[in-house]
């Protein structure tokens, strides 16, 4: 991997920050709010930010960059796909519980559901996320999908994943804003109470975490190299091989060609960026 | 340009949606709110969403994709850089007025400044945006900057620009959320008043517009091709040439090599994406 030290720096920063987010949200609900319970009250609502930040931000962030870890490049592609999908499924499970918590809280308190921009964007993001997960499992994990469809869907899969991750950040920031305005009355949010400053800081840290994940995910030099994919033959046979293996696993000379071409690819990718500025 | 019809579809959609955003925010402040004025009241505050959505979202979105317009590829790089920077400067000017409007409104109404997450993120984004603009003008428009620095800064310039654009979206969504909660009292936001539904829709459209801009900006096949850059010699001489021209304008064979390599670059870029999934 080129820029290995830089990659390590960003990865460690993202992990430290990810854990910090989880600690921050736990401190918020346990120290500043009414703790955690499943009782229809504030303590049940509190599961919402805890599970969203843990599942939809931290775990989802790790799911996005899991292919970038160079130590996994010797693992089979199928194993990595399963880990990638498994992390998304874990995130989805936590998000569903988070949604149940907030709906139950609203119903118990007779607060209308789905009136706010936060809820509109949030529900849209969750539906699209589950749709993307469902389609991606069919396209990339089931051996019945033609290679042409896998290839055609890839740019949408990658772009959609990153865009949804960005939307999750935006939705979380709206959620924090709503909660602070509604819950901080005496003293009011506008009088700079410790809880307001603490949760504002949490919001800023969420953005920094998202920025680190997106930086790691979009560096061309940190992608899982195609030549490693060569070794990964799909267990169900060549007809259902991964797109990458189908395109690039013909013979040794192809591997060398790809290795050389990849270097040029990286150089030219930079050139492409330059050409736009 | 490959996928020209698809590009046109996304460009026209983005333009139509961009104008729709401006119309929506104008209808909001003129029909649902107290109009526009500079009187320290609600009508002065209303300049804030109008100028942010017009400048920091619509014009900034166009600034991001201006290099992607294939009709501009025959124009000199320097001209396009000036248009790119000019659009950013226009956006910055509108944003500064938008900030003045909200600070004056707060001061007139004795509302504290900078207590909310919206204001923390918003001010941070504006400061970083101005910093990025200032550094980018020095690096890419002043002829004194060494080519090595231009090249080293490019990935940060592109990534920073797109990340800030995403943060602008998130900040705008928080701003809409705040404003609706504060201003919708009778009937309350939670009772689904027409203004709430209208502004929620505006929020969703902002996200779709941002998604279109980011899609256009990140398609490798829609980048301004390096071979066009060959023809663009910096008017101040070869020593201060653009990074692209320095790297790729040696001779005709290089041009052909780059053209062929660019095609492979695109193919391999897709492969790189595939390799991650």
């Amino acid at each position: 991997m080129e820029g290995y030290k830089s990659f390590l720096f960003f990865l460690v920063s993202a992990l430290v920050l990810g854990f910090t987010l989880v600690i921050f949200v736990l401190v918020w609900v346990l120290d500043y709010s009414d703790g955690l319970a499943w009782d229809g009250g504030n303590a049940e609502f509190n599961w919402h930010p805890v599970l969203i930040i843990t599942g939809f931000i931290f775990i989802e962030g790790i799911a996005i960059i899991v292919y970038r870890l160079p130590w996994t490049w010797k693992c089979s592609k199928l194993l990595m796909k399963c880990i990638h999908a498994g992390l998304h499924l874990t995130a989805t499970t936590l998000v569903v519980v988070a949604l149940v918590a907030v709906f139950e809280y609203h119903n118990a308190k007779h607060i209308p559901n789905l009136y706010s921009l936060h809820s509109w964007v949030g529900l849209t993001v969750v539906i699209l996320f589950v749709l993307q997960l469902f389609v991606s499992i069919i396209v990339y994990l089931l051996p019945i999908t033609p290679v042409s469809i896998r290839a055609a869907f890839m740019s949408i899969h990658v772009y959609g994943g990153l865009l949804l991750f960005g939307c999750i950040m935006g939705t979380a920031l709206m959620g924090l804003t709503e909660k602070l305005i509604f819950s901080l009355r005496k003293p009011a949010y506008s009088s700079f109470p410790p809880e307001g400053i603490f949760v504002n800081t949490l919001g800023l840290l969420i953005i920094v975490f998202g920025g680190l994940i997106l930086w790691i995910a979009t560096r061309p030099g940190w992608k899982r190299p195609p030549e490693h994919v060569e070794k990964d033959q799909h267990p169900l046979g060549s007809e259902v091989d991964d797109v990458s293996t189908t395109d690039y696993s013909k013979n040794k000379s192809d591997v060398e060609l790809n290795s050389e071409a990849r270097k040029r690819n990286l150089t030219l990718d930079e050139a492409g960026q330059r050409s736009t500025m």
Side-chain angles (χ1 to χ4, degrees), chain A:
Chain A
M1 170 184 266
E2 65 172 40
Y4 180 66
K5 283 187 180 173
S6 170
F7 171 81
L8 268 189
F9 169 78
F10 280 96
L11 178 67
V12 171
S13 302
L15 288 173
V16 169
L17 207 57
F19 281 112
T20 307
L21 294 181
V22 176
I23 291 166
F24 256 65
V25 71
L26 284 173
V27 169
W28 179 28
V29 302
L30 296 174
D31 273 12
Y32 290 100
S33 186
D34 300 317
L36 293 165
W38 203 266
D39 57 2
N42 286 337
E44 180 165 343
F45 174 88
N46 286 341
W47 280 110
H48 186 71
V50 167
L51 293 177
I52 291 291
I53 287 177
T54 307
F56 230 8
I57 295 182
F58 182 39
I59 295 177
E60 179 54 26
I62 303 304
I64 286 174
I65 59 166
V66 77
Y67 289 102
R68 300 296 179 275
L69 308 177
W71 317 283
T72 69
W73 291 351
K74 60 183 77 164
C75 300
S76 82
K77 192 69 184 286
L78 188 65
L79 171 66
M80 293 312 296
K81 283 183 181 185
C82 290
I83 292 172
H84 185 63
L87 288 167
H88 287 310
L89 281 168
T90 307
T92 307
T93 308
L94 298 184
V95 169
V96 168
V97 180
L99 290 186
V100 171
V102 80
F103 275 96
E104 280 201 10
Y105 166 80
H106 275 198
N107 295 340
K109 299 269 186 185
H110 304 293
I111 300 170
N113 289 302
L114 299 175
Y115 68 86
S116 71
L117 180 55
H118 166 72
S119 63
W120 284 30
V121 178
L123 196 65
T124 306
V125 166
V126 172
I127 290 169
L128 291 177
F129 186 87
V130 172
L131 188 70
Q132 155 111 330
L133 184 56
F134 181 72
V135 172
S136 301
I137 286 173
I138 291 176
V139 171
Y140 297 113
L141 273 177
L142 295 192
I144 54 170
T145 310
V147 167
S148 58
I149 291 180
R150 291 186 175 192
F153 184 61
M154 180 49 74
S155 59
I156 298 168
H157 175 85
V158 172
Y159 174 80
L162 297 183
L163 184 70
L164 284 175
F165 186 63
C167 289
I168 290 166
M169 306 283 141
T171 313
L173 297 180
M174 278 191 284
L176 297 181
T177 298
E178 266 192 18
K179 182 64 182 165
L180 289 173
I181 293 173
F182 288 138
S183 67
L184 292 177
R185 299 288 184 178
K186 292 177 185 176
Y189 187 20
S190 60
S191 65
F192 297 89
E195 182 176 347
I197 292 171
F198 186 80
V199 179
N200 282 0
T201 308
L202 170 61
L204 289 181
L205 293 180
I206 285 174
I207 296 174
V208 179
F209 176 75
L212 289 172
I213 294 295
L214 292 174
W215 175 263
I216 294 170
T218 54
R219 292 313 92 200
W222 294 349
K223 280 181 180 166
R224 184 181 162 105
E227 52 264 47
H228 284 261
V229 183
E230 315 294 322
K231 298 165 191 165
D232 171 38
Q233 295 298 320
H234 196 293
L236 294 173
S238 61
E239 281 181 56
V240 292
D241 259 6
D242 178 12
V243 176
S244 313
T245 59
T246 306
D247 286 345
Y248 295 102
S249 61
K250 287 170 196 155
N251 54 45
K252 179 71 170 66
S253 65
D254 263 12
V255 176
E256 285 163 3
L257 180 66
N258 288 332
S259 179
E260 184 201 345
R262 183 177 159 81
K263 285 177 196 159
R264 297 179 62 182
N265 176 26
L266 294 178
T267 309
L268 287 161
D269 189 85
E270 287 167 19
Q273 285 189 319
R274 285 173 205 150
S275 79
T276 68
M277 299 293 142

